[in-house]
Amino acid sequence: MISVRSSGCHPLFSGTRDGLTPLQMEKLLDYRGRPKLTDKQQDELLKLEMKLMSGGDLSEGAKTYIEEMVDEKVYNYKTHVSTKEMTKGTNVEDDSIEVYNRLLFTSHFKLAEFDDFYELRYGISVGHPDIVDKEGMTVIDIKSPWSKKTMPKTLKKAEKKMKDAGYDWQVKHYLYMLRKITGKDWRNGEIAFVLTNTPEDLISDNENDSMHYMDDLDDTLRVTIVKVKLTDDDIIWMAGQLEKAENYAKMYFNYLNNKNK
């Protein structure tokens, strides 16, 4: 019915989690940390876990996100958004990974078709991660800012950019699928903002070339990395949201197909 893609999944997962009060969350975490529980505590823990997973109704943003996917299916059309910033990000990925590797003495590469984990699929979830470090069990997503000016130069600014754009949920979605696919405890991710030369054909005449030429900078100035951690609560929340998304998509699909019958 629908495919929740990692690159655009943040409307489904971001926002307030309405399932538990702070006191209930504290009790949930306390019970989780105990080596042994009584039968009564086990029952209470189960109820708390179920309430956390339910998390209340879908947000209006999540509903709109799902409705737009169903609309494309029912009305048989595709939307495609393309900007010069997005085009740059796609075209310079390999160059950005090269800068990342030079700085951190790694040998990562952009996943290509037929590579392990090039395409992740689980249930209604789908995604194409940039880098999957199998030994370190880490997903790395590369972002190539448009210019020197738009580069988040501090960790605080990079974290804000990550949250505003939903990049954290993109990486958590990859990790969630890897856990389900492999049965292993994938938890760690990174968002790496990397300054790379902007292709000349994308630069407008009224922009100064110095904003887009990065090779005059030391590699230490060209990379800002934000760590991402997939928590137990994230895993429970995402499972609940995905289930609710699938159910809401079916309901909305049936509404559209029967509204004039």
Side-chain angles (χ1 to χ4, degrees):
M1 175 68 69
I2 60 171
S3 293
V4 175
R5 299 187 175 277
S6 302
S7 57
C9 71
H10 66 278
L12 180 59
F13 299 127
S14 59
T16 304
R17 305 185 189 187
D18 299 323
L20 297 178
T21 67
L23 285 176
Q24 289 173 327
M25 179 61 74
E26 184 178 346
K27 180 175 282 190
L28 172 67
L29 295 175
D30 175 46
Y31 282 171
R32 282 179 179 174
R34 296 188 187 185
K36 190 174 182 179
L37 297 174
T38 66
D39 289 344
K40 182 178 179 181
Q41 289 170 337
Q42 285 280 10
D43 290 342
E44 191 172 0
L45 174 61
L46 178 60
K47 290 177 182 177
L48 289 170
E49 295 281 13
M50 292 294 290
K51 188 173 182 182
L52 178 65
M53 184 179 293
S54 67
D57 196 11
L58 290 169
S59 69
E60 290 305 311
K63 289 178 181 178
T64 298
Y65 167 67
I66 296 162
E67 288 169 4
E68 288 174 350
M69 287 189 283
V70 176
D71 287 345
E72 289 190 9
K73 186 176 184 67
V74 172
Y75 289 92
N76 192 29
Y77 69 92
K78 291 287 185 183
T79 56
H80 177 71
V81 178
S82 180
T83 66
K84 60 184 181 180
E85 290 84 0
M86 293 169 64
T87 301
K88 175 186 176 175
T90 300
N91 291 350
V92 304
E93 275 184 322
D94 289 337
D95 294 336
S96 292
I97 293 171
E98 182 181 341
V99 175
Y100 179 100
N101 284 334
R102 280 203 313 261
L103 179 65
L104 298 175
F105 303 101
T106 52
S107 55
H108 298 309
F109 57 88
K110 167 75 174 177
L111 292 178
E113 193 173 3
F114 305 119
D115 287 336
D116 289 343
F117 307 133
Y118 164 70
E119 180 179 74
L120 304 177
R121 284 188 177 273
Y122 181 81
I124 62 173
S125 294
V126 61
H128 293 84
D130 290 337
I131 298 169
V132 174
D133 178 358
K134 290 184 282 188
E135 290 186 7
M137 293 184 66
T138 301
V139 171
I140 303 168
D141 199 65
I142 301 293
K143 303 299 181 186
S144 303
W146 172 245
S147 69
K148 290 175 178 175
K149 182 176 177 60
T150 63
M151 170 72 172
K153 302 167 185 70
T154 66
L155 180 58
K156 183 178 180 179
K157 290 177 180 178
E159 288 175 340
K160 184 179 187 304
K161 175 66 176 177
M162 175 187 74
K163 290 291 185 181
D164 290 347
Y167 297 151
D168 51 341
W169 284 114
Q170 179 180 359
V171 170
K172 287 180 180 183
H173 194 225
Y174 295 140
L175 292 167
Y176 178 87
M177 287 188 284
L178 283 165
R179 290 176 60 84
K180 297 294 186 181
I181 293 166
T182 67
K184 296 181 179 180
D185 192 21
W186 291 79
R187 297 276 185 172
N188 299 313
E190 290 181 6
I191 308 291
F193 296 91
V194 184
L195 275 176
T196 309
N197 295 337
T198 304
E200 291 185 5
D201 60 309
L202 296 177
I203 304 172
S204 62
D205 293 338
N206 62 350
E207 289 188 276
N208 192 304
D209 288 349
S210 66
M211 295 282 285
H212 296 279
Y213 179 74
M214 316 301 178
D215 290 344
D216 59 337
L217 299 174
D218 189 276
D219 286 345
T220 58
L221 296 173
R222 296 175 64 174
V223 181
T224 306
I225 297 172
V226 182
K227 301 291 186 181
V228 177
K229 188 79 171 181
L230 182 70
T231 67
D232 288 341
D233 289 345
D234 289 334
I235 295 165
I236 294 170
W237 169 253
M238 293 172 77
Q241 290 296 97
L242 287 164
E243 182 177 353
K244 284 185 283 187
E246 190 168 17
N247 291 336
Y248 185 76
K250 291 175 182 176
M251 182 184 70
Y252 181 64
F253 177 86
N254 289 333
Y255 165 76
L256 290 179
N257 283 284
N258 292 286
K259 65 178 182 178
N260 289 314
K261 293 182 180 178

